[in-house]
Amino acid sequence: MAAEHPEAAKQLSVVAENVGSHLPEVGRDVAEYVIAEIPELKGDVTVIKILQASVAENVATLLHVFENDIPLDRIEGPAAALEYARRLAQRGISLSAMVRAYRIGHWRFLQWCLDELKRQDADEDLATATNRRMLQVSFGYIDRVTEHVIVVYQLERDHWLLSQTAARAARVRDILTEKNVDLNWAEPALGYRLRQHHLGLVAWLPTLTGGGEGLALLDRITNEIARKLGCPARPLFVPRDAILSWGWLPLGSRSDVSWKQLSDVVERSDPSVHVCVGSVGYGIEGFRSTHRQAVRTQELAAAADPAPQFTDFSTVAPIALMATNIDDMRAWVWGILGPLAVDDENSARLRETAQIFLDTGCSYTATASAQILHKNTVQYRIRKAEEIMGRPVQKGHTDLEVALHAVHYLGSTLLRARPA
């Protein structure tokens, strides 16, 4: 990269001084532009006022950096910007909306500075160098400040969720355990309608994430799933601890859900998030049953190695209902599969072919098509699996089907270690 023009810093200082002479107008314009571009930020007078203060402080600080050539490592997030992050977290406004506001506001601010640089009518080399310096410093500032406010947002969101949902969690526990519940009391207390279809959800993280995300991350994925499924109201979100939450998605009169849509949302999200769901249920009994199914599925998924990112109860119902004791299930699987219950690649290939063979009604042709193999290869693998297990792979062997599906889902949790 070419050396910086010796007059670039001075020229940028002049630009900042002139733009700063219109500071109230610049701050107002940037704030209005951000609000117009991001619908989530509209409608709350308090939030808008704090946004305006945050924009004004950020604009003033960045112009001060330009004018006085201040190193960015000395800059902290303006107080109004930190308070704005906290207010957005408390109101459940998405983190992406906050970050987008910084990007959009940055662009609008740069338009003022670029227009002023053009008015300075500097020679081409100086104008280019000043422009480059302006972009380098301003992007560095935005990167530094947004990292800071993201941490503030995440910490506040976790704190807010825990403090605001303690009473709600107690009410949910009462509804899950008590037989006779007054719906006219329960629904207003929860802020959630029980006389509709529900989908129970459990979301969790294997460990605490960096930056204090925790519950805020689980809350975001729960709301994102609800939006994708077109839920008519906000989901009921109940933290259990810093890395696990329960949720209920309100489906209204709908009783069907696209599992593909749901899994796509989860698998495109943060890879550390895991989600399990029950089956759709109606009314207070459905509220309870879909939750029990989601919890049972989560217990199963947490035992799997590796743990899947998304699981719906309908896919693993027989295994989930059986797996009250993993040690007993492992012993049962070993008894069914025999030496084929070994954690190595060859056994895995044979188990996969045998499972697909049973799922396709013991069709060699369909299995070959599903695995993109020659029919003779499928026949060889089935014979080999039968030799190892000492039993046939054929219709009617429900225990073998269940054992193969259990291993497919739970992985090495149910297998013997490969011999040395």
Side-chain angles (χ1 to χ4, degrees), residues 281-299:
Y282 181 80
I284 192 165
E285 286 306 320
F287 182 89
R288 293 165 175 156
S289 64
T290 188
H291 170 70
R292 287 195 301 268
Q293 292 165 354
V295 169
R296 180 65 63 84
T297 305
Q298 190 269 335
E299 291 169 351

Side-chain angles (χ1 to χ4, degrees), residues 37-317:
E37 290 294 314
I38 307 177
E40 282 185 77
L41 303 182
K42 298 177 182 177
D44 189 318
V45 175
T46 301
V47 170
I48 290 175
K49 285 183 178 179
I50 299 175
L51 167 63
Q52 291 167 339
S54 173
V55 168
E57 283 195 18
N58 273 302
V59 167
T61 301
L62 189 46
L63 288 174
H64 190 55
V65 170
F66 283 171
E67 191 171 352
N68 298 285
D69 196 19
I70 299 173
L72 292 178
D73 58 8
R74 297 182 186 176
I75 301 298
E76 299 295 336
L82 304 183
E83 182 59 24
Y84 182 60
R86 294 188 188 97
R87 294 299 181 97
L88 292 186
Q90 292 166 7
R91 282 159 172 75
I93 296 172
S94 69
L95 179 61
S96 62
M98 183 184 74
V99 174
R100 186 163 176 251
Y102 274 89
R103 292 199 302 265
I104 291 173
H106 182 207
W107 162 240
R108 191 67 169 183
F109 167 78
L110 285 177
Q111 287 181 306
W112 280 85
C113 294
L114 291 169
D115 288 346
E116 177 58 34
L117 177 60
K118 185 177 180 180
R119 279 192 290 272
Q120 296 299 313
D121 198 26
D123 66 72
E124 184 177 348
D125 287 346
L126 178 57
T128 300
T130 305
N131 189 359
R132 183 183 296 115
R133 182 177 181 82
M134 180 195 305
L135 295 176
Q136 180 185 11
V137 174
S138 65
F139 272 96
Y141 173 87
I142 293 297
D143 181 62
R144 182 176 177 83
V145 172
T146 51
E147 280 196 5
H148 197 44
V149 296
I150 284 170
V151 171
V152 170
Y153 176 100
Q154 291 167 341
L155 290 172
E156 181 63 23
R157 188 67 182 149
D158 274 2
H159 171 75
W160 184 256
L161 287 170
L162 283 171
S163 62
Q164 291 298 303
T165 58
R168 182 185 298 166
R171 297 186 189 108
V172 166
R173 286 194 296 272
D174 291 341
I175 290 170
L176 292 174
T177 56
E178 292 180 10
K179 293 295 182 184
N180 299 315
V181 175
D182 181 355
L183 295 182
N184 293 324
W185 165 85
E187 290 184 334
L190 289 178
Y192 179 87
R193 191 158 60 90
L194 293 167
R195 286 166 277 206
Q196 63 175 325
H197 288 93
H198 324 272
L199 182 66
L201 179 150
V202 177
W204 81 100
L205 302 165
T207 59
L208 278 172
T209 57
E213 282 225 66
L215 291 174
L217 182 56
L218 300 181
D219 183 49
R220 284 202 301 277
I221 188 65
T222 301
N223 280 284
E224 189 176 343
I225 291 169
R227 284 193 296 271
K228 185 66 175 180
L229 295 183
C231 292
R234 288 180 64 87
L236 176 60
F237 179 81
V238 180
R240 294 292 292 159
D241 56 36
I243 58 172
L244 186 142
S245 66
W246 293 347
W248 285 263
L249 307 181
L251 301 177
S253 59
R254 290 169 44 209
S255 60
D256 62 312
V257 167
S258 169
W259 303 121
K260 178 67 167 59
Q261 279 188 329
L262 211 162
S263 65
D264 284 348
V265 172
V266 176
E267 288 163 6
R268 286 198 299 267
S269 69
D270 190 304
S272 65
V273 176
H274 297 265
V275 173
C276 290
V277 297
S279 300
V280 176
Y282 181 80
I284 192 165
E285 286 306 320
F287 182 89
R288 293 165 175 156
S289 64
T290 188
H291 170 70
R292 287 195 301 268
Q293 292 165 354
V295 169
R296 180 65 63 84
T297 305
Q298 190 269 335
E299 291 169 351
L300 185 70
D305 183 16
Q309 194 167 5
F310 170 76
T311 311
D312 66 276
F313 178 74
S314 62
T315 302
V316 296

Side-chain angles (χ1 to χ4, degrees), residues 300 316 318-336 402-403 405-407 410 413-414:
L300 185 70
V316 296
I319 305 167
L321 294 172
M322 290 172 57
T324 54
N325 186 306
I326 293 295
D327 290 336
D328 288 346
M329 184 172 224
R330 185 184 298 113
W332 179 78
V333 166
W334 287 7
I336 299 296
V402 173
H405 278 285
V407 172
L410 288 168
T413 299
L414 296 183

